[in-house]
Amino acid sequence: MSEAVHVLNGPNLNLLGTREPQVYGAHTLSDVERLCEAACARHGFSMVFRQSNREGVLVDWIHEAGREHAAGTLAGVVLNAGAYTHTSVALLDAIKGTGVPLIELHISNVFARESFRHHSWISPAARGVICGLGVAGYALAIEAIAQW
Ligand code: CA2
């Protein structure tokens, strides 16, 4: 059976492509899902692609990914935690607590934006961080997981 990649998206990312195209581009979350599906297919990964506006749901999904990783059926997680990146100790604890290998992903260059976006609670627990490369960053994150 092939290994899985879980692509998890946090709050407001369901709005992609509807507003702020100068920041996030014109792609919708469905476009991102297709792009990720193609990247996973190139590497023989199955994919789970999800979005939630709720912090606890994201915590539950990281726990689920952690169990699958422990069982040897998951290669890694790509997480765009949205604004929870900058607020959520719970997500940090979930990533650390499960030990799941995870890439933190941001579409925009958070360091070129407001100073409150410069701090990430989850970076210390991430294997790597990609930001500012637009939605192409998702495919690059999946490429990186394939190299682990
Ligand atoms: O650049 C990213 O991917 C972010 O994770 C996106 C978050 C933001 O809070 C982070 O600082 C950086 C926001 C996602 C909201 O996306 C929208 C898209 C279109 C219209 C409104 C919001």
Side-chain angles (χ1 to χ4, degrees):
M1 207 183 81
S2 71
E3 283 184 304
V5 169
H6 289 195
V7 183
L8 306 180
N9 295 282
N12 298 309
L13 284 156
N14 53 312
L15 298 177
L16 264 189
T18 65
R19 286 179 50 234
E20 301 194 61
Q22 69 287 359
V23 180
Y24 299 113
H27 296 283
T28 65
L29 196 62
S30 297
D31 295 332
V32 177
E33 181 169 4
R34 276 190 288 276
L35 173 157
C36 289
E37 186 65 63
C40 282
R42 279 197 291 280
H43 296 287
F45 293 135
S46 61
M47 184 186 75
V48 170
F49 189 95
R50 291 167 162 166
Q51 188 274 331
S52 177
N53 293 323
R54 294 178 173 77
E55 185 177 13
V57 171
L58 292 164
V59 168
D60 286 342
W61 286 344
I62 289 166
H63 291 179
E64 183 183 322
R67 287 191 295 273
E68 292 189 22
H69 183 251
T73 58
L74 177 133
V77 173
V78 181
L79 173 65
N80 186 347
Y84 290 143
T85 304
H86 317 299
T87 64
S88 181
V89 176
L91 285 175
L92 170 67
D93 287 346
I95 299 162
K96 283 171 85 169
T98 58
V100 72
L102 176 147
I103 296 182
E104 175 184 344
L105 184 287
H106 302 288
I107 297 166
S108 63
N109 178 356
V110 288
F111 299 104
R113 301 182 65 193
E114 305 96 322
S115 58
F116 65 82
R117 297 186 202 275
H118 298 180
H119 178 260
S120 165
W121 283 100
I122 63 182
S123 293
R127 282 267 188 107
V129 181
I130 293 176
C131 87
L133 302 180
V135 298
Y138 283 84
L140 294 170
I142 291 163
E143 297 288 335
I145 290 171
Q147 308 304 317
W148 289 348

PDB file of all heavy atoms in Angstrom, residues 10-21 23-24 80-86 105-110 113 116-117 132 138, ligand 1:
ATOM      1  N   GLY A  10      -5.843  25.622   7.408  1.00  0.00           N
ATOM      2  CA  GLY A  10      -6.549  26.232   8.523  1.00  0.00           C
ATOM      3  C   GLY A  10      -7.513  27.335   8.124  1.00  0.00           C
ATOM      4  O   GLY A  10      -7.969  27.405   6.979  1.00  0.00           O
ATOM      5  N   PRO A  11      -7.793  28.228   9.087  1.00  0.00           N
ATOM      6  CA  PRO A  11      -8.898  29.171   8.967  1.00  0.00           C
ATOM      7  C   PRO A  11      -8.781  30.114   7.781  1.00  0.00           C
ATOM      8  O   PRO A  11      -7.717  30.648   7.483  1.00  0.00           O
ATOM      9  CB  PRO A  11      -8.838  29.961  10.282  1.00  0.00           C
ATOM     10  CG  PRO A  11      -7.472  29.732  10.814  1.00  0.00           C
ATOM     11  CD  PRO A  11      -7.066  28.369  10.348  1.00  0.00           C
ATOM     12  N   ASN A  12      -9.916  30.278   7.148  1.00  0.00           N
ATOM     13  CA  ASN A  12     -10.137  31.238   6.057  1.00  0.00           C
ATOM     14  C   ASN A  12      -9.514  30.819   4.729  1.00  0.00           C
ATOM     15  O   ASN A  12      -9.706  31.500   3.723  1.00  0.00           O
ATOM     16  CB  ASN A  12      -9.664  32.655   6.452  1.00  0.00           C
ATOM     17  CG  ASN A  12     -10.447  33.188   7.631  1.00  0.00           C
ATOM     18  OD1 ASN A  12     -11.673  33.165   7.600  1.00  0.00           O
ATOM     19  ND2 ASN A  12      -9.767  33.613   8.675  1.00  0.00           N
ATOM     20  N   LEU A  13      -8.803  29.714   4.714  1.00  0.00           N
ATOM     21  CA  LEU A  13      -8.194  29.305   3.431  1.00  0.00           C
ATOM     22  C   LEU A  13      -9.246  28.826   2.437  1.00  0.00           C
ATOM     23  O   LEU A  13      -8.978  28.765   1.235  1.00  0.00           O
ATOM     24  CB  LEU A  13      -7.083  28.288   3.666  1.00  0.00           C
ATOM     25  CG  LEU A  13      -5.820  28.995   4.202  1.00  0.00           C
ATOM     26  CD1 LEU A  13      -4.930  28.052   4.974  1.00  0.00           C
ATOM     27  CD2 LEU A  13      -5.047  29.669   3.070  1.00  0.00           C
ATOM     28  N   ASN A  14     -10.462  28.551   2.928  1.00  0.00           N
ATOM     29  CA  ASN A  14     -11.576  28.270   2.011  1.00  0.00           C
ATOM     30  C   ASN A  14     -11.938  29.508   1.173  1.00  0.00           C
ATOM     31  O   ASN A  14     -12.615  29.389   0.160  1.00  0.00           O
ATOM     32  CB  ASN A  14     -12.808  27.775   2.787  1.00  0.00           C
ATOM     33  CG  ASN A  14     -13.209  28.717   3.904  1.00  0.00           C
ATOM     34  OD1 ASN A  14     -12.358  29.144   4.693  1.00  0.00           O
ATOM     35  ND2 ASN A  14     -14.471  29.039   3.983  1.00  0.00           N
ATOM     36  N   LEU A  15     -11.424  30.681   1.587  1.00  0.00           N
ATOM     37  CA  LEU A  15     -11.725  31.918   0.846  1.00  0.00           C
ATOM     38  C   LEU A  15     -10.721  32.204  -0.270  1.00  0.00           C
ATOM     39  O   LEU A  15     -10.881  33.177  -1.008  1.00  0.00           O
ATOM     40  CB  LEU A  15     -11.736  33.116   1.807  1.00  0.00           C
ATOM     41  CG  LEU A  15     -12.778  33.088   2.926  1.00  0.00           C
ATOM     42  CD1 LEU A  15     -12.612  34.303   3.829  1.00  0.00           C
ATOM     43  CD2 LEU A  15     -14.184  33.043   2.339  1.00  0.00           C
ATOM     44  N   LEU A  16      -9.707  31.358  -0.378  1.00  0.00           N
ATOM     45  CA  LEU A  16      -8.681  31.570  -1.416  1.00  0.00           C
ATOM     46  C   LEU A  16      -9.320  31.795  -2.782  1.00  0.00           C
ATOM     47  O   LEU A  16     -10.251  31.075  -3.170  1.00  0.00           O
ATOM     48  CB  LEU A  16      -7.789  30.336  -1.546  1.00  0.00           C
ATOM     49  CG  LEU A  16      -6.461  30.268  -0.809  1.00  0.00           C
ATOM     50  CD1 LEU A  16      -5.704  29.055  -1.302  1.00  0.00           C
ATOM     51  CD2 LEU A  16      -5.658  31.534  -0.938  1.00  0.00           C
ATOM     52  N   GLY A  17      -8.795  32.790  -3.496  1.00  0.00           N
ATOM     53  CA  GLY A  17      -9.277  33.045  -4.851  1.00  0.00           C
ATOM     54  C   GLY A  17     -10.497  33.936  -4.908  1.00  0.00           C
ATOM     55  O   GLY A  17     -10.930  34.323  -5.993  1.00  0.00           O
ATOM     56  N   THR A  18     -11.046  34.268  -3.743  1.00  0.00           N
ATOM     57  CA  THR A  18     -12.258  35.102  -3.733  1.00  0.00           C
ATOM     58  C   THR A  18     -11.946  36.546  -3.370  1.00  0.00           C
ATOM     59  O   THR A  18     -12.681  37.453  -3.746  1.00  0.00           O
ATOM     60  CB  THR A  18     -13.309  34.578  -2.738  1.00  0.00           C
ATOM     61  OG1 THR A  18     -12.783  34.691  -1.406  1.00  0.00           O
ATOM     62  CG2 THR A  18     -13.654  33.123  -3.025  1.00  0.00           C
ATOM     63  N   ARG A  19     -10.856  36.759  -2.574  1.00  0.00           N
ATOM     64  CA  ARG A  19     -10.461  38.108  -2.142  1.00  0.00           C
ATOM     65  C   ARG A  19      -8.949  38.143  -1.998  1.00  0.00           C
ATOM     66  O   ARG A  19      -8.298  37.106  -1.950  1.00  0.00           O
ATOM     67  CB  ARG A  19     -11.108  38.435  -0.780  1.00  0.00           C
ATOM     68  CG  ARG A  19     -12.590  38.736  -0.866  1.00  0.00           C
ATOM     69  CD  ARG A  19     -13.160  39.036   0.524  1.00  0.00           C
ATOM     70  NE  ARG A  19     -12.359  40.013   1.230  1.00  0.00           N
ATOM     71  CZ  ARG A  19     -11.842  39.814   2.455  1.00  0.00           C
ATOM     72  NH1 ARG A  19     -12.039  38.679   3.089  1.00  0.00           N
ATOM     73  NH2 ARG A  19     -11.145  40.756   3.045  1.00  0.00           N
ATOM     74  N   GLU A  20      -8.402  39.342  -1.891  1.00  0.00           N
ATOM     75  CA  GLU A  20      -6.965  39.569  -1.664  1.00  0.00           C
ATOM     76  C   GLU A  20      -6.059  38.829  -2.645  1.00  0.00           C
ATOM     77  O   GLU A  20      -5.069  38.213  -2.239  1.00  0.00           O
ATOM     78  CB  GLU A  20      -6.584  39.194  -0.221  1.00  0.00           C
ATOM     79  CG  GLU A  20      -7.359  39.988   0.830  1.00  0.00           C
ATOM     80  CD  GLU A  20      -6.730  39.863   2.210  1.00  0.00           C
ATOM     81  OE1 GLU A  20      -5.572  40.273   2.360  1.00  0.00           O
ATOM     82  OE2 GLU A  20      -7.404  39.343   3.099  1.00  0.00           O
ATOM     83  N   PRO A  21      -6.373  38.890  -3.960  1.00  0.00           N
ATOM     84  CA  PRO A  21      -5.519  38.177  -4.924  1.00  0.00           C
ATOM     85  C   PRO A  21      -4.087  38.722  -4.970  1.00  0.00           C
ATOM     86  O   PRO A  21      -3.163  37.989  -5.314  1.00  0.00           O
ATOM     87  CB  PRO A  21      -6.230  38.392  -6.272  1.00  0.00           C
ATOM     88  CG  PRO A  21      -7.093  39.587  -6.061  1.00  0.00           C
ATOM     89  CD  PRO A  21      -7.482  39.588  -4.623  1.00  0.00           C
ATOM     90  N   VAL A  23      -2.319  39.342  -2.480  1.00  0.00           N
ATOM     91  CA  VAL A  23      -1.563  38.676  -1.403  1.00  0.00           C
ATOM     92  C   VAL A  23      -1.473  37.172  -1.655  1.00  0.00           C
ATOM     93  O   VAL A  23      -0.403  36.573  -1.524  1.00  0.00           O
ATOM     94  CB  VAL A  23      -2.228  38.917  -0.019  1.00  0.00           C
ATOM     95  CG1 VAL A  23      -1.431  38.218   1.090  1.00  0.00           C
ATOM     96  CG2 VAL A  23      -2.356  40.400   0.270  1.00  0.00           C
ATOM     97  N   TYR A  24      -2.608  36.553  -2.024  1.00  0.00           N
ATOM     98  CA  TYR A  24      -2.666  35.095  -2.067  1.00  0.00           C
ATOM     99  C   TYR A  24      -2.798  34.524  -3.481  1.00  0.00           C
ATOM    100  O   TYR A  24      -2.831  33.307  -3.658  1.00  0.00           O
ATOM    101  CB  TYR A  24      -3.845  34.596  -1.210  1.00  0.00           C
ATOM    102  CG  TYR A  24      -3.718  34.995   0.243  1.00  0.00           C
ATOM    103  CD1 TYR A  24      -4.609  35.899   0.823  1.00  0.00           C
ATOM    104  CD2 TYR A  24      -2.698  34.481   1.033  1.00  0.00           C
ATOM    105  CE1 TYR A  24      -4.487  36.280   2.153  1.00  0.00           C
ATOM    106  CE2 TYR A  24      -2.565  34.847   2.364  1.00  0.00           C
ATOM    107  CZ  TYR A  24      -3.461  35.746   2.913  1.00  0.00           C
ATOM    108  OH  TYR A  24      -3.324  36.111   4.220  1.00  0.00           O
ATOM    109  N   ASN A  80      -0.762  24.326   6.338  1.00  0.00           N
ATOM    110  CA  ASN A  80      -0.934  25.782   6.316  1.00  0.00           C
ATOM    111  C   ASN A  80      -1.937  26.088   7.411  1.00  0.00           C
ATOM    112  O   ASN A  80      -3.148  25.955   7.216  1.00  0.00           O
ATOM    113  CB  ASN A  80      -1.420  26.281   4.961  1.00  0.00           C
ATOM    114  CG  ASN A  80      -1.458  27.813   4.920  1.00  0.00           C
ATOM    115  OD1 ASN A  80      -1.355  28.474   5.950  1.00  0.00           O
ATOM    116  ND2 ASN A  80      -1.605  28.364   3.723  1.00  0.00           N
ATOM    117  N   ALA A  81      -1.421  26.466   8.562  1.00  0.00           N
ATOM    118  CA  ALA A  81      -2.284  26.672   9.735  1.00  0.00           C
ATOM    119  C   ALA A  81      -2.952  28.041   9.715  1.00  0.00           C
ATOM    120  O   ALA A  81      -3.661  28.392  10.668  1.00  0.00           O
ATOM    121  CB  ALA A  81      -1.469  26.501  11.010  1.00  0.00           C
ATOM    122  N   GLY A  82      -2.729  28.830   8.636  1.00  0.00           N
ATOM    123  CA  GLY A  82      -3.348  30.150   8.559  1.00  0.00           C
ATOM    124  C   GLY A  82      -2.969  30.978   9.783  1.00  0.00           C
ATOM    125  O   GLY A  82      -1.852  30.887  10.294  1.00  0.00           O
ATOM    126  N   ALA A  83      -3.915  31.758  10.274  1.00  0.00           N
ATOM    127  CA  ALA A  83      -3.623  32.657  11.400  1.00  0.00           C
ATOM    128  C   ALA A  83      -3.308  31.902  12.691  1.00  0.00           C
ATOM    129  O   ALA A  83      -2.662  32.460  13.587  1.00  0.00           O
ATOM    130  CB  ALA A  83      -4.798  33.602  11.604  1.00  0.00           C
ATOM    131  N   TYR A  84      -3.725  30.628  12.807  1.00  0.00           N
ATOM    132  CA  TYR A  84      -3.376  29.859  14.016  1.00  0.00           C
ATOM    133  C   TYR A  84      -1.865  29.662  14.140  1.00  0.00           C
ATOM    134  O   TYR A  84      -1.360  29.385  15.226  1.00  0.00           O
ATOM    135  CB  TYR A  84      -4.083  28.502  14.025  1.00  0.00           C
ATOM    136  CG  TYR A  84      -5.582  28.577  14.238  1.00  0.00           C
ATOM    137  CD1 TYR A  84      -6.437  27.698  13.573  1.00  0.00           C
ATOM    138  CD2 TYR A  84      -6.138  29.506  15.104  1.00  0.00           C
ATOM    139  CE1 TYR A  84      -7.808  27.768  13.759  1.00  0.00           C
ATOM    140  CE2 TYR A  84      -7.502  29.574  15.297  1.00  0.00           C
ATOM    141  CZ  TYR A  84      -8.339  28.699  14.623  1.00  0.00           C
ATOM    142  OH  TYR A  84      -9.699  28.768  14.819  1.00  0.00           O
ATOM    143  N   THR A  85      -1.151  29.796  13.017  1.00  0.00           N
ATOM    144  CA  THR A  85       0.314  29.767  13.050  1.00  0.00           C
ATOM    145  C   THR A  85       0.849  30.711  14.126  1.00  0.00           C
ATOM    146  O   THR A  85       1.807  30.383  14.833  1.00  0.00           O
ATOM    147  CB  THR A  85       0.876  30.266  11.687  1.00  0.00           C
ATOM    148  OG1 THR A  85       0.319  29.479  10.655  1.00  0.00           O
ATOM    149  CG2 THR A  85       2.380  30.244  11.654  1.00  0.00           C
ATOM    150  N   HIS A  86       0.200  31.880  14.202  1.00  0.00           N
ATOM    151  CA  HIS A  86       0.734  32.964  15.025  1.00  0.00           C
ATOM    152  C   HIS A  86       0.143  32.987  16.430  1.00  0.00           C
ATOM    153  O   HIS A  86       0.481  33.866  17.223  1.00  0.00           O
ATOM    154  CB  HIS A  86       0.465  34.314  14.337  1.00  0.00           C
ATOM    155  CG  HIS A  86       0.726  34.281  12.858  1.00  0.00           C
ATOM    156  ND1 HIS A  86       1.966  34.000  12.330  1.00  0.00           N
ATOM    157  CD2 HIS A  86      -0.103  34.433  11.780  1.00  0.00           C
ATOM    158  CE1 HIS A  86       1.894  34.024  10.997  1.00  0.00           C
ATOM    159  NE2 HIS A  86       0.643  34.272  10.643  1.00  0.00           N
ATOM    160  N   LEU A 105       3.672  25.589   5.893  1.00  0.00           N
ATOM    161  CA  LEU A 105       3.552  26.200   4.577  1.00  0.00           C
ATOM    162  C   LEU A 105       2.758  27.514   4.675  1.00  0.00           C
ATOM    163  O   LEU A 105       1.712  27.547   5.332  1.00  0.00           O
ATOM    164  CB  LEU A 105       2.825  25.189   3.663  1.00  0.00           C
ATOM    165  CG  LEU A 105       2.599  25.450   2.171  1.00  0.00           C
ATOM    166  CD1 LEU A 105       1.552  26.488   1.883  1.00  0.00           C
ATOM    167  CD2 LEU A 105       3.883  25.717   1.431  1.00  0.00           C
ATOM    168  N   HIS A 106       3.276  28.543   4.017  1.00  0.00           N
ATOM    169  CA  HIS A 106       2.517  29.786   3.857  1.00  0.00           C
ATOM    170  C   HIS A 106       2.588  30.231   2.411  1.00  0.00           C
ATOM    171  O   HIS A 106       3.672  30.224   1.812  1.00  0.00           O
ATOM    172  CB  HIS A 106       3.052  30.892   4.772  1.00  0.00           C
ATOM    173  CG  HIS A 106       3.013  30.501   6.201  1.00  0.00           C
ATOM    174  ND1 HIS A 106       1.828  30.412   6.906  1.00  0.00           N
ATOM    175  CD2 HIS A 106       3.988  30.089   7.034  1.00  0.00           C
ATOM    176  CE1 HIS A 106       2.085  29.991   8.117  1.00  0.00           C
ATOM    177  NE2 HIS A 106       3.392  29.780   8.231  1.00  0.00           N
ATOM    178  N   ILE A 107       1.460  30.618   1.881  1.00  0.00           N
ATOM    179  CA  ILE A 107       1.389  31.081   0.490  1.00  0.00           C
ATOM    180  C   ILE A 107       2.114  32.423   0.352  1.00  0.00           C
ATOM    181  O   ILE A 107       2.890  32.637  -0.577  1.00  0.00           O
ATOM    182  CB  ILE A 107      -0.085  31.215   0.064  1.00  0.00           C
ATOM    183  CG1 ILE A 107      -0.773  29.844   0.100  1.00  0.00           C
ATOM    184  CG2 ILE A 107      -0.192  31.865  -1.321  1.00  0.00           C
ATOM    185  CD1 ILE A 107      -2.295  29.923   0.028  1.00  0.00           C
ATOM    186  N   SER A 108       1.847  33.308   1.298  1.00  0.00           N
ATOM    187  CA  SER A 108       2.453  34.644   1.255  1.00  0.00           C
ATOM    188  C   SER A 108       3.773  34.637   2.015  1.00  0.00           C
ATOM    189  O   SER A 108       4.045  33.729   2.817  1.00  0.00           O
ATOM    190  CB  SER A 108       1.498  35.663   1.880  1.00  0.00           C
ATOM    191  OG  SER A 108       1.288  35.366   3.259  1.00  0.00           O
ATOM    192  N   ASN A 109       4.575  35.680   1.769  1.00  0.00           N
ATOM    193  CA  ASN A 109       5.811  35.851   2.540  1.00  0.00           C
ATOM    194  C   ASN A 109       5.443  36.568   3.829  1.00  0.00           C
ATOM    195  O   ASN A 109       5.348  37.801   3.872  1.00  0.00           O
ATOM    196  CB  ASN A 109       6.838  36.651   1.738  1.00  0.00           C
ATOM    197  CG  ASN A 109       8.108  36.881   2.530  1.00  0.00           C
ATOM    198  OD1 ASN A 109       8.197  36.500   3.697  1.00  0.00           O
ATOM    199  ND2 ASN A 109       9.085  37.509   1.919  1.00  0.00           N
ATOM    200  N   VAL A 110       5.243  35.798   4.878  1.00  0.00           N
ATOM    201  CA  VAL A 110       4.767  36.377   6.139  1.00  0.00           C
ATOM    202  C   VAL A 110       5.764  37.395   6.703  1.00  0.00           C
ATOM    203  O   VAL A 110       5.372  38.317   7.430  1.00  0.00           O
ATOM    204  CB  VAL A 110       4.465  35.275   7.188  1.00  0.00           C
ATOM    205  CG1 VAL A 110       3.210  34.507   6.806  1.00  0.00           C
ATOM    206  CG2 VAL A 110       5.642  34.326   7.365  1.00  0.00           C
ATOM    207  N   ARG A 113       5.182  41.020   5.711  1.00  0.00           N
ATOM    208  CA  ARG A 113       3.861  41.517   6.092  1.00  0.00           C
ATOM    209  C   ARG A 113       3.906  42.078   7.532  1.00  0.00           C
ATOM    210  O   ARG A 113       4.967  42.381   8.038  1.00  0.00           O
ATOM    211  CB  ARG A 113       2.829  40.392   5.916  1.00  0.00           C
ATOM    212  CG  ARG A 113       2.782  39.885   4.467  1.00  0.00           C
ATOM    213  CD  ARG A 113       1.748  38.806   4.271  1.00  0.00           C
ATOM    214  NE  ARG A 113       0.407  39.325   4.498  1.00  0.00           N
ATOM    215  CZ  ARG A 113      -0.673  38.540   4.636  1.00  0.00           C
ATOM    216  NH1 ARG A 113      -0.542  37.221   4.564  1.00  0.00           N
ATOM    217  NH2 ARG A 113      -1.860  39.077   4.830  1.00  0.00           N
ATOM    218  N   PHE A 116       3.059  40.957  13.398  1.00  0.00           N
ATOM    219  CA  PHE A 116       2.436  39.852  14.145  1.00  0.00           C
ATOM    220  C   PHE A 116       2.473  38.544  13.367  1.00  0.00           C
ATOM    221  O   PHE A 116       2.278  37.470  13.941  1.00  0.00           O
ATOM    222  CB  PHE A 116       0.997  40.196  14.585  1.00  0.00           C
ATOM    223  CG  PHE A 116       0.010  40.399  13.469  1.00  0.00           C
ATOM    224  CD1 PHE A 116      -0.609  39.307  12.849  1.00  0.00           C
ATOM    225  CD2 PHE A 116      -0.330  41.672  13.044  1.00  0.00           C
ATOM    226  CE1 PHE A 116      -1.531  39.484  11.840  1.00  0.00           C
ATOM    227  CE2 PHE A 116      -1.252  41.863  12.021  1.00  0.00           C
ATOM    228  CZ  PHE A 116      -1.848  40.769  11.407  1.00  0.00           C
ATOM    229  N   ARG A 117       2.755  38.624  12.050  1.00  0.00           N
ATOM    230  CA  ARG A 117       2.863  37.375  11.267  1.00  0.00           C
ATOM    231  C   ARG A 117       4.293  36.827  11.250  1.00  0.00           C
ATOM    232  O   ARG A 117       4.556  35.782  10.666  1.00  0.00           O
ATOM    233  CB  ARG A 117       2.409  37.607   9.817  1.00  0.00           C
ATOM    234  CG  ARG A 117       0.952  38.000   9.694  1.00  0.00           C
ATOM    235  CD  ARG A 117       0.506  38.085   8.239  1.00  0.00           C
ATOM    236  NE  ARG A 117      -0.672  38.918   8.108  1.00  0.00           N
ATOM    237  CZ  ARG A 117      -1.930  38.484   8.289  1.00  0.00           C
ATOM    238  NH1 ARG A 117      -2.169  37.224   8.564  1.00  0.00           N
ATOM    239  NH2 ARG A 117      -2.953  39.309   8.165  1.00  0.00           N
ATOM    240  N   GLY A 132       6.006  32.247   0.964  1.00  0.00           N
ATOM    241  CA  GLY A 132       6.204  33.310  -0.015  1.00  0.00           C
ATOM    242  C   GLY A 132       6.314  32.841  -1.451  1.00  0.00           C
ATOM    243  O   GLY A 132       6.553  33.651  -2.345  1.00  0.00           O
ATOM    244  N   TYR A 138       3.027  24.419  -2.109  1.00  0.00           N
ATOM    245  CA  TYR A 138       2.427  23.133  -1.696  1.00  0.00           C
ATOM    246  C   TYR A 138       3.090  21.976  -2.442  1.00  0.00           C
ATOM    247  O   TYR A 138       3.413  20.944  -1.854  1.00  0.00           O
ATOM    248  CB  TYR A 138       0.925  23.130  -1.987  1.00  0.00           C
ATOM    249  CG  TYR A 138       0.054  23.902  -1.017  1.00  0.00           C
ATOM    250  CD1 TYR A 138      -0.130  25.270  -1.161  1.00  0.00           C
ATOM    251  CD2 TYR A 138      -0.616  23.260   0.017  1.00  0.00           C
ATOM    252  CE1 TYR A 138      -0.949  25.981  -0.294  1.00  0.00           C
ATOM    253  CE2 TYR A 138      -1.441  23.953   0.886  1.00  0.00           C
ATOM    254  CZ  TYR A 138      -1.601  25.316   0.729  1.00  0.00           C
ATOM    255  OH  TYR A 138      -2.414  26.012   1.598  1.00  0.00           O
TER     256      TYR A 138
HETATM  257  O1  CA2 B   1       0.277  33.050   3.649  1.00  0.00           O
HETATM  258  C1  CA2 B   1      -0.387  32.145   4.167  1.00  0.00           C
HETATM  259  O2  CA2 B   1      -0.595  31.065   3.628  1.00  0.00           O
HETATM  260  C2  CA2 B   1      -1.035  32.398   5.537  1.00  0.00           C
HETATM  261  O3  CA2 B   1      -0.917  31.207   6.298  1.00  0.00           O
HETATM  262  C3  CA2 B   1      -2.493  32.723   5.251  1.00  0.00           C
HETATM  263  C4  CA2 B   1      -3.293  33.149   6.480  1.00  0.00           C
HETATM  264  C5  CA2 B   1      -2.541  34.223   7.267  1.00  0.00           C
HETATM  265  O4  CA2 B   1      -3.242  34.498   8.473  1.00  0.00           O
HETATM  266  C6  CA2 B   1      -1.117  33.823   7.580  1.00  0.00           C
HETATM  267  O5  CA2 B   1      -0.477  34.887   8.260  1.00  0.00           O
HETATM  268  C7  CA2 B   1      -0.352  33.511   6.310  1.00  0.00           C
HETATM  269  C8  CA2 B   1      -4.661  33.701   6.075  1.00  0.00           C
HETATM  270  C9  CA2 B   1      -5.458  32.826   5.174  1.00  0.00           C
HETATM  271  C10 CA2 B   1      -6.655  33.595   4.723  1.00  0.00           C
HETATM  272  O6  CA2 B   1      -6.755  33.505   3.333  1.00  0.00           O
HETATM  273  C11 CA2 B   1      -7.595  34.350   2.681  1.00  0.00           C
HETATM  274  C12 CA2 B   1      -7.650  34.220   1.323  1.00  0.00           C
HETATM  275  C13 CA2 B   1      -8.454  35.033   0.592  1.00  0.00           C
HETATM  276  C14 CA2 B   1      -9.236  35.996   1.213  1.00  0.00           C
HETATM  277  C15 CA2 B   1      -9.185  36.130   2.575  1.00  0.00           C
HETATM  278  C16 CA2 B   1      -8.371  35.298   3.320  1.00  0.00           C
END
